[in-house]
């Protein structure tokens, strides 16, 4: 189980390769992943950048607790969450979740759970800068 919070751009494919290469040979029959990127629109407005803040220590613990919960609910071998903080531009990767399991159903279900739980529970705060130069704090996450 791994949680990484990074302040610079990261390569989700490289992170996933490193994750899967560390698995015991032949143990995982399935790996499911999700890559989230910043979109350039929210609530009908053009967004030109976003600052993503977090509470160090607390955020890491909550993400680890989410992975622990997934490991209790599904028969998964390992899981990874990589989350970006700081200044982010449209198209930049924000989050990667990866889950390995013996079977695909557990991998898919646990991967979706990680992402949904992260959006609901992890202490991240988003401040968007709009194309008109104004800025606003995002009050709620989008669903699904």
């Amino acid at each position: 189980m791994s949680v990484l919070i990074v302040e610079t751009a990261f390569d989700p494919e490289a992170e996933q390769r490193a994750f899967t290469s560390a698995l015991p040979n032949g143990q995982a029959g399935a790996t499911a992943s999700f890559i989230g990127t910043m979109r350039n629109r929210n609530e009908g407005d053009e967004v030109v950048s976003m600052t993503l803040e977090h509470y160090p220590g607390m955020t890491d613990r909550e993400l680890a607790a989410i992975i622990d919960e997934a490991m209790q609910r599904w028969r998964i071998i390992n899981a990874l969450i990589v989350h970006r903080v700081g200044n982010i531009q449209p198209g930049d990767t924000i989050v990667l979740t990866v889950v390995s399991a013996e079977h695909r159903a557990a991998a898919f279900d646990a991967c979706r759970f990680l992402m949904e739980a992260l959006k609901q529970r992890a202490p991240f705060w988003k401040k968007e800068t709009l194309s008109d130069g104004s800025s606003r704090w995002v009050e709620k996450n989008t669903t699904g």
Side-chain angles (χ1 to χ4, degrees), residues 9-13 33-42 47 49-50 52 82-84 87-97 115 118-119 126 128 141-142 144:
F10 67 94
D11 179 347
E13 289 83 10
S33 65
F34 173 83
I35 298 170
T37 56
M38 184 188 158
R39 53 182 192 279
N40 64 358
R41 298 200 65 76
N42 192 28
V47 180
S49 69
M50 178 174 64
L52 192 57
V82 181
H83 207 293
R84 174 113 179 253
N87 190 31
I88 301 169
Q89 304 299 311
D92 286 355
T93 300
I94 299 173
V95 63
L96 168 69
T97 58
M115 196 59 232
L118 180 157
K119 294 291 276 184
K126 300 175 185 176
E128 297 174 329
N141 284 313
T142 56

Side-chain angles (χ1 to χ4, degrees), residues 2-144:
S2 295
V3 171
L4 300 170
I5 298 175
V6 298
E7 295 183 9
T8 58
F10 67 94
D11 179 347
E13 289 83 10
E15 294 291 344
Q16 183 168 331
R17 277 192 306 275
F19 172 84
T20 56
S21 69
L23 294 171
N25 191 29
Q27 189 176 9
T31 299
S33 65
F34 173 83
I35 298 170
T37 56
M38 184 188 158
R39 53 182 192 279
N40 64 358
R41 298 200 65 76
N42 192 28
E43 298 180 10
D45 297 315
E46 183 179 358
V47 180
V48 296
S49 69
M50 178 174 64
T51 301
L52 192 57
E53 297 181 2
H54 77 297
Y55 193 99
M58 178 187 281
T59 306
D60 305 59
R61 283 191 302 276
E62 186 59 35
L63 295 178
I66 290 167
I67 291 176
D68 284 342
E69 187 175 336
M71 295 185 92
Q72 296 296 318
R73 291 177 65 177
W74 292 276
R75 293 187 56 179
I76 62 176
I77 298 163
N78 205 355
L80 167 69
I81 297 174
V82 181
H83 207 293
R84 174 113 179 253
V85 294
N87 190 31
I88 301 169
Q89 304 299 311
D92 286 355
T93 300
I94 299 173
V95 63
L96 168 69
T97 58
V98 186
V99 174
S100 62
E102 289 182 16
H103 302 284
R104 69 182 173 276
F108 279 130
D109 292 346
C111 190
R112 182 176 181 105
F113 169 80
L114 290 181
M115 196 59 232
E116 298 302 331
L118 180 157
K119 294 291 276 184
Q120 293 172 3
R121 296 172 21 196
F124 289 106
W125 298 274
K126 300 175 185 176
K127 186 175 188 181
E128 297 174 329
T129 301
L130 306 179
S131 60
D132 66 5
S134 65
S135 62
R136 65 182 177 205
W137 289 99
V138 176
E139 294 184 24
K140 62 182 177 356
N141 284 313
T142 56
T143 58

